[in-house]
Amino acid sequence: MARMFCAVFLFLTEASAISAAPVLDAADQAALKAIMTENPNIPAALGWTYSVADGCSYNGVTCTLGDDGLNHVTGFSVSEAQNLGPMPASFNALLSLTEISLGPLTFVGPLPSLDQLANLQTLGLRGNNMRGSTLDGVFNVSAPLTSVDLGACELTGSVDVFAPFSALVSLSLAANEFTGYIYALVPLVNLTTLDLEANNLTGPIEVLSRLTNLQSLSLSQNEFTGEIPALENSAPSLNHCDMQYNNFTCTKSKTCGYGYPPCDLQYQLSPDDQAALTAIMAENQNLASGLGWTFPVKYGCSYAGVTCTLGEDGLNHITGFSVNRGNIGGPMPPSINALLSLTAISLEWNVFTGPLPSLNQLANLQSLVLAENNMQGSTLDGVFNVSAPLTYVDLEQCGLTGFIDVFGDFGTLKSLVLDANDFTGSIDALAGLTNLTSLNLGNNMLEGSITNLTNLTNLEQLVLLQNQFTGEIPALEGSAPSLNQCEMQYNNFTCTRSKTCGYGYPPCDLQYQLSPDDQAALTAIMAENPNIASGLGWTFPVKYGCSYAGVTCTLGDDGLNHVTGFSVNRGNIGGPMPPSINALLSLTAISLEWNVFTGPLPSLDQLANLQTLALGMNNMQGSMLDGIFNVSAPLTYVNLEQCGLTGSIDVFGAFGTLQSLMLDANGFTGYIYALASLTNLTSLSLNSNQLDGTINILDSLPNLQQLDLSSNKFTGVIPDLESTAKSLNNCDMMYNDFTCSKSSVCRSGYPPC
């Protein structure tokens, strides 16, 4: 009798809890039913399989509890479903909607009326095909619209319909067929983004001067006329503006005037620079034709690629000339040398040919970028003005020859890139460039010692590969503590004193010599799998194993170096995983993921210091984890994703230090009860295995932030995990056999309990 009483009590308690849960408003239930009737593709594509009373759990549907104690549909958002047919008219019956957001090609057909949606704030239908629909009468004029994106919807008609919506912050109507004027947009004073690109709109745009909060404006590819006003004066935060391909006569704007001549004299250029530009166009006609320099040279400050600055003489002077990746051919014009105010020249990635012209008149030049042009055989003798405050030079792959001593005069240099030329001689002259942070001399024929580079104390990047340098590599990281990239390969160095720059060279002293035990272990590893040594270039003696690619060493209390890290990721290394890894007793980290190792997973039971194990994406087909680990190891991170492993995962129950455990896409079976002790776990991913049973033990993992159990055979109820794991923000439970979910974070398509 007592047992029966308890059962009845529990039943009544559960029934009371269920009845107390907020239900969906009857009108919204009716609207959802109508939507499914009008377009059956929607429930089929979105998996709306359970009762409409649970519509708040439908994929794409967001609900909010109203003052009436009922749930109301306030959002509809679908990003992945496509070609569902027409957009149902009954969206207009979801009266509490504040947001409709659809991915491209979700619906095809006319845009239905939304005139009952008095709460609508966000409407995003970009890329849905509304086939000639207009916007007349579509909206409720009282709606507090703030964001509208109807780009590429094949809409027609006027944009006047948006005049009542003064709360609008973003309006995108690009790539439609709207016509007429934009005068009606004057009240939209809160707009920060306006995109009307690629329509058939016309008339002047002075009205936009009223939109003082604009930050981004796109009007290109329309039929606008008149002047472009100085919009940056009325909208000081305007940072993006595109007006191209319209019928404007001229521009008063610096920000928005690209491609149009100025409307007044503010851009007129000094006579000397006008003469220089005229000469430049005569010396290489490809510049004017390629860049559209069509209006008079007195307006040269508006030319594409030209930057001007107002001088103390009250005239504009050219201070910048920039044409990158413009596919401009022909000679580099000598009259660039007559633009005496130039501070920056950037002409990289064109197809200029012929000699490098003299720049010896440019006493203000700070930046010179000519990379990837063909000045075959030119030298640098006499090219520069030695008083110029050069800070940045990039002459990569320009076919230059001779010496680089000329740069020794420019102590202001911070970056010097001379890669892939035919320079010869030594680099002794660079010893005074103490401000250099980046030096790239790779792929030349430079030679001699590099010991003078120890003077360059600010170096962060150094590339000297593929030259003919000799002698020792100094310990450059000692003199340049910020040095983080260094490439010295394919030279004639005898040895290295540098850890940062020594790749591929033996050490010059004994500082890297390895403990005898670890030497023996590395020798065994190379014998067990020769692909490792050949693939990673382990060519010099094993006593220098701390310099091997992928090997990290730490100096021990015994005064010897010990291997503490072994990392080879995406190295395409095949063959067996060497058993002698287990003899590197000081290992704290093994990371060999994304290779093609095959065969059984070797034992790691001697590695009592192991903290990190990352072997994901290798093939240990059929291996089990029994007896693999040292149970005293302080493991914190394990990734054995897609390794072909089988058996139980109970072994991990011994490692209470674990913070991240990834065992995805294997053949593991059994329960996960043993993981209950892993209270430090923040990330657990077991997807795509054959694990089963209940998951109630996850209630004991309070630090979980990410959880993926999808594609297994778990059963029972999904518990309310977020009540114990307060930081849980990512949860995937799909494709299991759960009956229902008590969790809002982990629902994953299951009905609520």
Side-chain angles (χ1 to χ4, degrees):
M1 179 65 71
R3 182 178 301 174
M4 180 180 298
F5 173 79
C6 289
V8 170
F9 176 77
L10 288 173
F11 172 79
L12 291 174
T13 302
E14 291 177 2
S16 174
I18 292 171
S19 64
V23 297
L24 182 60
D25 172 71
D28 283 5
Q29 291 187 42
L32 286 180
K33 285 181 181 178
I35 286 170
M36 291 190 278
T37 301
E38 291 163 11
N39 188 339
N41 295 327
I42 294 176
L46 301 181
W48 292 3
T49 55
Y50 37 94
S51 167
V52 73
D54 292 322
C56 292
S57 298
Y58 282 179
N59 185 22
V61 173
T62 302
C63 292
T64 301
L65 188 65
D67 293 338
D68 56 3
L70 299 174
N71 274 314
H72 296 266
V73 176
T74 53
F76 182 66
S77 178
V78 176
S79 60
E80 296 179 357
Q82 292 188 346
N83 299 316
L84 299 184
M87 185 172 178
S90 292
F91 274 107
N92 203 24
L94 293 169
L95 303 184
S96 299
L97 272 178
T98 62
E99 177 180 4
I100 303 175
S101 296
L102 305 177
L105 300 177
T106 303
F107 293 119
V108 177
L111 176 62
S113 175
L114 305 173
D115 63 354
Q116 300 302 307
L117 305 186
N119 300 296
L120 193 62
Q121 299 175 31
T122 299
L123 180 64
L125 304 181
R126 175 175 288 270
N128 286 273
N129 186 345
M130 306 302 179
R131 292 180 178 171
S133 299
T134 68
L135 298 178
D136 298 335
V138 166
F139 301 109
N140 185 311
V141 295
S142 300
L145 279 172
T146 58
S147 176
V148 172
D149 187 349
L150 298 175
C153 286
E154 297 194 22
L155 298 168
T156 63
S158 165
V159 300
D160 292 357
V161 65
F162 293 104
F165 301 106
S166 59
L168 270 170
V169 175
S170 178
L171 177 60
S172 178
L173 306 176
N176 286 287
E177 297 176 14
F178 290 115
T179 55
Y181 302 123
I182 61 171
Y183 301 142
L185 303 186
V186 169
L188 308 188
V189 293
N190 289 300
L191 273 182
T192 62
T193 298
L194 177 61
D195 185 357
L196 304 177
E197 177 181 329
N199 283 282
N200 298 307
L201 297 163
T202 189
I205 65 168
E206 282 88 352
V207 296
L208 297 181
S209 296
R210 308 279 186 88
L211 308 186
T212 57
N213 291 300
L214 275 180
Q215 299 175 20
S216 178
L217 175 64
S218 297
L219 302 184
S220 65
Q221 299 181 62
N222 279 281
E223 299 172 9
F224 292 114
T225 56
E227 298 180 353
I228 300 174
L231 295 171
E232 62 269 34
N233 294 339
S234 54
S237 296
L238 186 65
N239 56 51
H240 171 78
C241 189
D242 190 351
M243 299 285 188
Q244 298 182 74
Y245 309 112
N246 279 284
N247 299 321
F248 297 115
T249 53
C250 62
T251 179
K252 292 184 176 179
S253 171
K254 291 183 179 181
T255 304
C256 303
Y258 180 80
Y260 299 98
C263 298
D264 51 38
L265 301 181
Q266 66 173 314
Y267 288 101
Q268 284 204 11
L269 188 57
S270 73
D272 289 344
D273 283 6
Q274 289 184 44
L277 275 187
T278 301
I280 286 170
M281 289 189 280
E283 291 160 4
N284 187 339
Q285 297 176 3
N286 296 324
L287 280 166
S289 60
L291 298 175
W293 292 358
T294 55
F295 36 93
V297 73
K298 66 181 178 179
Y299 299 128
C301 290
S302 296
Y303 283 0
V306 172
T307 302
C308 292
T309 301
L310 189 65
E312 294 178 356
D313 56 3
L315 298 172
N316 275 304
H317 298 268
I318 294 176
T319 52
F321 185 32
S322 176
V323 183
N324 299 325
R325 299 179 185 270
N327 201 33
I328 307 296
M332 192 161 290
S335 292
I336 288 178
N337 202 26
L339 295 170
L340 302 185
S341 298
L342 273 177
T343 62
I345 302 173
S346 185
L347 304 176
E348 63 182 345
W349 287 89
N350 285 286
V351 284
F352 289 113
T353 55
L356 175 63
S358 174
L359 306 174
N360 63 1
Q361 300 301 306
L362 306 186
N364 300 297
L365 193 63
Q366 299 175 33
S367 177
L368 177 65
V369 181
L370 304 179
E372 304 285 342
N373 288 286
N374 187 357
M375 291 119 191
Q376 203 65 40
S378 297
T379 67
L380 299 177
D381 298 335
V383 165
F384 300 106
N385 184 311
V386 294
S387 301
L390 277 173
T391 58
Y392 185 92
V393 172
D394 185 349
L395 299 176
E396 177 184 4
Q397 202 165 330
C398 286
L400 300 169
T401 63
F403 302 126
I404 63 173
D405 294 356
V406 62
F407 293 108
D409 294 322
F410 300 102
T412 50
L413 270 171
K414 294 182 178 179
S415 179
L416 179 59
V417 181
L418 304 176
D419 185 54
N421 287 286
D422 294 310
F423 291 119
T424 56
S426 75
I427 61 171
D428 294 342
L430 305 187
L433 306 186
T434 55
N435 289 301
L436 270 182
T437 61
S438 179
L439 177 61
N440 186 345
L441 306 177
N443 299 283
N444 282 282
M445 296 183 287
L446 297 162
E447 60 187 2
S449 168
I450 66 166
T451 54
N452 62 347
L453 295 182
T454 55
N455 293 337
L456 310 186
T457 55
N458 291 300
L459 272 181
E460 297 173 10
Q461 296 175 311
L462 176 63
V463 179
L464 303 183
L465 58 78
Q466 294 191 339
N467 279 280
Q468 299 171 10
F469 293 114
T470 55
E472 298 181 355
I473 299 174
L476 295 169
E477 62 270 36
S479 54
S482 297
L483 186 63
N484 56 56
Q485 181 191 352
C486 189
E487 299 182 38
M488 300 282 190
Q489 301 99 298
Y490 310 110
N491 279 283
N492 299 320
F493 296 115
T494 53
C495 61
T496 179
R497 295 184 182 276
S498 171
K499 291 183 178 181
T500 305
C501 304
Y503 180 80
Y505 299 97
C508 297
D509 52 36
L510 301 182
Q511 64 173 317
Y512 288 101
Q513 283 205 10
L514 188 57
S515 73
D517 289 343
D518 284 5
Q519 289 184 44
L522 284 183
T523 301
I525 286 170
M526 290 189 279
E528 290 160 4
N529 187 341
N531 296 325
I532 294 177
S534 60
L536 299 177
W538 291 2
T539 55
F540 38 92
V542 73
K543 65 181 179 179
Y544 301 127
C546 290
S547 296
Y548 284 178
V551 171
T552 302
C553 291
T554 302
L555 189 65
D557 294 337
D558 56 3
L560 298 173
N561 276 303
H562 298 268
V563 176
T564 52
F566 185 33
S567 176
V568 183
N569 298 323
R570 298 180 185 271
N572 201 32
I573 307 295
M577 192 161 292
S580 292
I581 288 178
N582 201 26
L584 294 169
L585 303 185
S586 299
L587 273 176
T588 62
I590 303 174
S591 185
L592 303 176
E593 50 191 354
W594 288 90
N595 284 285
V596 284
F597 288 113
T598 55
L601 175 63
S603 175
L604 307 174
D605 63 354
Q606 300 302 305
L607 306 185
N609 301 296
L610 193 62
Q611 299 174 32
T612 297
L613 178 65
L615 304 180
M617 309 303 289
N618 287 285
N619 187 359
M620 291 117 191
Q621 204 64 40
S623 297
M624 294 193 294
L625 300 177
D626 299 335
I628 291 289
F629 301 107
N630 186 310
V631 295
S632 301
L635 278 173
T636 58
Y637 179 94
V638 171
N639 183 352
L640 297 176
E641 176 185 8
Q642 203 165 329
C643 285
L645 300 169
T646 63
S648 164
I649 63 172
D650 291 355
V651 63
F652 293 107
F655 300 102
T657 50
L658 269 172
Q659 296 177 16
S660 180
L661 179 60
M662 288 179 280
L663 305 177
D664 307 5
N666 286 287
F668 290 120
T669 56
Y671 305 132
I672 63 169
Y673 304 147
L675 306 187
S677 59
L678 307 187
T679 55
N680 289 300
L681 269 184
T682 61
S683 178
L684 175 61
S685 187
L686 306 177
N687 78 63
S688 303
N689 283 282
Q690 300 171 43
L691 297 162
D692 58 13
T694 64
I695 64 168
N696 295 329
I697 60 100
L698 297 181
D699 276 336
S700 61
L701 309 184
N703 292 301
L704 271 183
Q705 299 174 21
Q706 294 178 311
L707 175 64
D708 188 351
L709 304 185
S710 61
S711 299
N712 279 281
K713 299 177 180 179
F714 292 115
T715 57
V717 172
I718 299 174
D720 181 13
L721 295 173
E722 59 268 36
S723 65
T724 53
K726 305 295 186 184
S727 298
L728 185 64
N729 56 51
N730 187 328
C731 186
D732 190 349
M733 298 285 189
M734 298 174 71
Y735 308 113
N736 279 284
D737 299 324
F738 296 115
T739 54
C740 61
S741 175
K742 293 182 178 180
S743 168
S744 57
V745 176
C746 302
R747 182 165 291 173
S748 298
Y750 298 98
C753 297

